[in-house]
Amino acid sequence: QDAKEGNGGKLLPGDRWLAKTEEWETQGGTTGWIILNGRPIACYSVIDTLRSEAMDTVEDLQKAHGIRVVILTGDNEGASRRVADTVGIEADDVHFGLLPRGKTESIKQLRNVVVGDSLHDAKKKKRSIVVAMVGDGVNDAPAIAAADVGISMGCAGAAASAMETADVVLMDGDLKKLSFLIHLSARVHSTIVENVTLAVVMKAMVVVMTFLGWAWLWLAVVADVGSMLLVTINSTRLLQSKQKLQFRKEILRQIRDGGENV
């Protein structure tokens, strides 16, 4: 506005570029300038291309697992909201223009947010939730370290600091593995509980039979080896987790697309 008033209401070339960059940003682009001898000679805009699996992954996390998905990014508002609108993330869960410290502070606040509340109300809440941070850059490393569970995408170009800080490293950039990771972790937890319960019950039975005078050495050996075999066999069911998850996703996708092939 000042430039217009100082030049007879006309925009200078630099002002036109500034107006153009603002237009690009509202369309979801990230803008930059080329400077030569202290003077801008060109401006440009780049737009990130969403991965094909991004929408399905966010939908699966939200609906199948009941997980609240939040965007923490250093990009501008236009680019951030464009991505959020495309993949189905609520506007209140989009936080843009964040430096590494800003991402870390947001993670710390999220850990004290009750599910369903806004991040901006975090300071008023005391109940904690489990927060997982997914990232692949140097700027993400502090936030990954601050989260309850840090997940690094170990794809080409991923920062070594992010992978070293993370609790879990996915060895490629396939976002679908996030859903599989959560599914597998739940299966592993339940399997551990089953195995421990099975082993304790069998040992307790042998102890009781011993006090009753019904236990023999061969029975103790059978109980020990038998519990080991049962625990091993039960654990091998985890090998089928990926196939079952893919089958379930395919059925859900067909239902969402109309159900003609279900």
Side-chain angles (χ1 to χ4, degrees), residues 182-250:
I182 296 170
H183 172 77
L184 181 61
S185 63
R187 288 289 307 278
V188 169
H189 180 268
S190 62
T191 301
I192 290 174
V193 173
E194 292 170 0
N195 289 344
V196 171
T197 302
L198 179 63
V200 170
V201 168
M202 293 192 68
K203 299 297 173 116
M205 290 176 60
V206 172
V207 171
V208 171
M209 294 177 68
T210 301
F211 280 108
L212 295 176
W214 298 341
W216 297 272
L217 179 60
W218 65 266
L219 182 59
V221 173
V222 169
D224 185 64
V225 176
S227 62
M228 181 189 67
L229 292 176
L230 289 176
V231 164
T232 303
I233 293 172
N234 188 45
S235 299
T236 58
R237 295 188 301 117
L238 293 171
L239 300 176
Q240 303 175 356
S241 295
K242 189 170 185 178
Q243 290 79 2
K244 288 182 178 179
L245 181 62
Q246 291 175 342
F247 177 75
R248 181 171 64 87
K249 284 186 176 181
E250 183 62 28

Side-chain angles (χ1 to χ4, degrees), residues 130-146:
V130 177
V131 176
M133 171 68 185
V134 183
D136 61 2
V138 174
N139 293 340
D140 298 324
I144 290 175

Side-chain angles (χ1 to χ4, degrees), residues 114-160:
V114 179
V115 177
D117 290 328
S118 170
L119 175 60
H120 304 293
D121 298 329
K123 295 181 180 179
K124 303 177 183 178
K125 306 299 180 181
K126 296 182 179 180
R127 178 183 170 191
S128 295
I129 60 174
V130 177
V131 176
M133 171 68 185
V134 183
D136 61 2
V138 174
N139 293 340
D140 298 324
I144 290 175
D148 295 302
V149 180
I151 304 173
S152 174
M153 306 296 291
C155 52

